[in-house]
Amino acid sequence: MAIKEEIIQLLNEINDPEIPILSVMDLGIVRDVKIDGEDLEVIITPTYSGCPAMEMIQTNIRKCLSEHGYKNHKLTIVLSPAWTTDWISEEGKNKLLSYGIAPPTPKQHTCKPALFHEQEAIQCPLCQSYNTRLISQFGSTPCKALYQCNDCLEPFDYFKCH
Amino acid sequence: MPVVNKKKDSPIQDPSSGFMEPFLLHLADNALILGHRNSEWTGHGPILEQDIAISNIALDLIGQARNFYQYAAKKINEYPDRVVNSKTVTEDSLAFLRDAWDFKNCLLVEQTNGDWAKTILRQFFFSLYQSFLFEGLQLSADKQVAAISEKAAKEVAYHLKWSSEWVIRLGDGTEESHNRMINAIDELSKFTEELFIPASYELEAAKHGVGIDLTLIQPRWKEKMEAVFEEATLPTQKLKEKLWQGLFGKEGRHTEQLGYILAEMQFMQRAYPDSEW
Ligand SMILES: [Zn+2]
């Protein structure tokens, strides 16, 4: 009999292939784990419509569950409610920072559509300076923006609000 | 994908509601074709950061296209008489095995990239349209259309901001960049009208609460467009210029540009049917 905590423990070990410091649980894409007798359903939601990592994440979840004896599992993808960076766990945000990626700020000013809008100061994950600037709203993966620190001059990724 | 229990979660069970298939394909085709066009910039962008930006936008659009194609395939497979040669319709067969006259995208998105100004302006016109479209479709009576739109709307907000800023940067930039924007307006403005002329399936979709009334978003589109143009020191009266003869992309009557895109995009599936990678 599957126990929910056991499944979540397994999912904690499955990482985002593009930001391997984060597990799928940290990322907040696992919406629910449903257990009904021998049947197991894991419900996930994609981060971005075209995120190429999603296919690999699904494969890895299936593989992991099968390897641990959960042959009777179902993986369901739901689009609504749409994923938001609010669902990244506190632990996930700390992991991002330790990995050199600025985590999404709690006040999500970057979602403001105003043109050439002054961005909220994003803290440099390396020297902790707030004196940074946006290089591009689009970074190396769909979920990141590119920033540069004006003090230590290091370019860095910002996990942008969504 | 697991086989979905037919009809169970489908709000539209009336077989007469034949507007769903073309309506979904129209939404998917728009996103796929513009996504493909944008992907032509990958590796050729003016600077690295903008190469990455336009490639990311391409990725978002192709993701939106996949969501709509997957849903369209599910709908089509619910009606066995629609399935040809007992082959199940898939997102791939819809993208790679239909011909130009089956595609229901707007003429705007199939136009060639031209220079950076033309690509930017095409994106701006379309993202602005999509922002109003998905705002409305989030409230669609069809739950899956609403869900896809809710997701897409968040992505489009970034596309719109990015392309608006570029329209202003180029329009209010140097004489050279300004003139290039003027040329882009000359080439593309005649394709904007079509966005707001509803095809029959859009009218039906709106009537059933699945789609939206396009005539309601046209003035909002125009107002926002003019505000950005004004800041970009670009003339807005140019846009009154009229249209194409007999063409209507939403009903499969395309400019010759679409054929070239499909020739490239569909080559592998046509030459090596059912190949996977
Ligand atoms: Zn720094």
Side-chain angles (χ1 to χ4, degrees):
Chain A
M1 172 96 72
I3 299 165
K4 192 167 173 175
E5 284 68 40
E6 217 173 276
I7 305 299
I8 290 180
Q9 206 53 48
L10 289 176
L11 294 173
N12 267 323
E13 303 296 314
I14 299 173
N15 295 333
D16 177 343
E18 284 179 342
I19 309 173
I21 192 83
L22 289 186
S23 77
V24 293
M25 294 304 296
D26 293 326
L27 201 51
I29 60 172
V30 175
R31 300 313 301 150
D32 205 356
V33 174
K34 286 182 183 164
I35 295 161
D36 184 10
E38 289 297 305
D39 293 329
L40 166 65
E41 185 181 15
V42 177
I43 298 166
I44 61 173
T45 190
T47 50
Y48 284 71
S49 298
C51 181
M54 281 310 291
E55 304 259 346
M56 195 163 163
I57 289 173
Q58 288 174 50
T59 310
N60 291 346
I61 292 177
R62 285 179 192 286
K63 191 163 157 250
C64 171
L65 292 176
S66 296
E67 278 172 4
H68 286 82
Y70 301 105
K71 309 272 182 217
N72 253 352
H73 68 263
K74 188 177 159 197
L75 196 54
T76 306
I77 297 173
V78 294
L79 296 176
S80 179
W83 176 82
T84 154
T85 35
D86 290 349
W87 294 349
I88 298 179
S89 66
E90 281 309 307
E91 199 192 335
K93 286 176 185 166
N94 291 334
K95 283 185 187 171
L96 279 172
L97 197 58
S98 71
Y99 198 60
I101 298 173
T105 50
K107 282 187 187 171
Q108 308 204 328
H109 288 189
T110 37
C111 275
K112 281 195 177 160
L115 303 181
F116 302 105
H117 184 263
E118 263 310 304
Q119 303 296 337
E120 185 190 16
I122 304 300
Q123 192 175 17
C124 170
L126 298 155
C127 77
Q128 280 74 50
S129 167
Y130 279 97
N131 182 18
T132 61
R133 67 196 172 94
L134 173 73
I135 304 285
S136 175
Q137 202 61 258
F138 297 90
S140 54
T141 63
C143 55
K144 288 180 283 183
L146 188 59
Y147 274 72
Q148 185 169 21
C149 177
N150 293 329
D151 285 337
C152 74
L153 301 182
E154 194 72 13
F156 65 91
D157 279 329
Y158 166 57
F159 204 111
K160 70 189 178 199
C161 113
H162 198 68
Chain B
M1 286 298 297
V3 178
V4 181
N5 190 3
K6 282 175 191 173
K7 312 276 172 153
K8 196 176 106 191
D9 55 356
S10 124
I12 291 147
Q13 299 185 7
D14 177 11
S16 70
S17 54
F19 65 85
M20 269 319 264
E21 181 189 334
F23 181 65
L24 293 172
L25 289 176
H26 160 68
L27 294 169
D29 291 343
N30 268 348
L32 178 70
I33 297 301
L34 186 56
H36 185 85
R37 273 294 186 220
N38 285 346
S39 78
E40 292 170 10
W41 276 105
T42 305
H44 304 274
I47 55 168
L48 181 62
E49 288 77 9
Q50 298 310 324
D51 188 306
I52 291 171
I54 192 115
S55 300
N56 266 294
I57 294 172
L59 201 57
D60 285 342
L61 286 165
I62 288 167
Q64 292 165 17
R66 289 192 60 188
N67 285 338
F68 283 120
Y69 281 135
Q70 285 167 7
Y71 188 38
K74 177 174 174 256
K75 286 274 165 203
I76 293 167
N77 291 326
E78 280 172 12
Y79 298 103
D81 56 314
R82 294 280 303 110
V83 180
V84 184
N85 299 333
S86 71
K87 265 199 168 179
T88 309
V89 173
T90 66
E91 55 174 324
D92 285 342
S93 69
L94 291 172
F96 296 126
L97 298 175
R98 286 179 305 140
D99 218 327
W101 47 76
D102 300 318
F103 271 75
K104 297 171 186 5
N105 59 280
C106 302
L107 301 169
L108 176 69
V109 298
E110 70 198 35
Q111 298 312 305
T112 53
N113 286 345
D115 58 9
W116 189 244
K118 189 177 168 191
T119 293
I120 290 297
L121 186 66
R122 187 184 59 198
Q123 191 63 47
F124 170 65
F125 282 159
F126 191 69
S127 293
L128 187 55
Y129 163 76
Q130 272 197 323
S131 71
F132 293 122
L133 178 72
F134 289 140
E135 179 191 291
L137 290 183
Q138 283 180 65
L139 306 171
S140 172
D142 184 291
K143 287 213 171 68
Q144 185 66 3
V145 169
I148 297 170
S149 303
E150 179 190 342
K151 185 121 211 76
K154 298 176 100 181
E155 294 155 5
V156 170
Y158 275 108
H159 306 171
L160 179 58
K161 183 169 157 47
W162 177 83
S163 57
S164 302
E165 288 178 353
W166 266 106
V167 166
I168 294 166
R169 199 174 284 128
L170 293 174
D172 193 19
T174 63
E175 196 185 332
E176 173 75 18
S177 69
H178 182 85
N179 288 337
R180 282 176 182 253
M181 282 306 293
I182 298 284
N183 287 340
I185 295 170
D186 279 344
E187 287 189 49
L188 292 177
S189 60
K190 54 182 165 289
F191 299 112
T192 59
E193 187 76 17
E194 187 200 7
L195 297 170
F196 307 102
I197 302 174
S200 54
Y201 52 80
E202 285 177 299
L203 290 173
E204 279 299 304
K207 215 169 78 184
H208 287 79
V210 172
I212 61 164
D213 182 350
L214 294 173
T215 58
L216 292 181
I217 65 171
Q218 184 165 26
R220 298 174 66 201
W221 181 91
K222 190 166 174 284
E223 190 190 355
K224 191 94 180 272
M225 183 274 294
E226 287 179 351
V228 169
F229 268 32
E230 195 175 324
E231 206 178 330
T233 69
L234 292 167
T236 50
Q237 67 274 16
K238 278 260 181 197
L239 278 182
K240 286 185 186 124
E241 167 190 358
K242 271 279 183 185
L243 284 195
W244 20 287
Q245 305 97 1
L247 296 172
F248 193 30
K250 291 178 177 185
E251 287 180 353
R253 299 197 298 279
H254 292 278
T255 60
E256 67 174 318
Q257 310 307 336
L258 181 64
Y260 291 101
I261 299 176
L262 297 187
E264 183 177 328
M265 194 177 72
Q266 298 183 335
F267 172 80
M268 289 297 283
Q269 272 305 313
R270 303 269 187 195
Y272 306 95
D274 300 330
S275 61
E276 286 179 29
W277 60 280

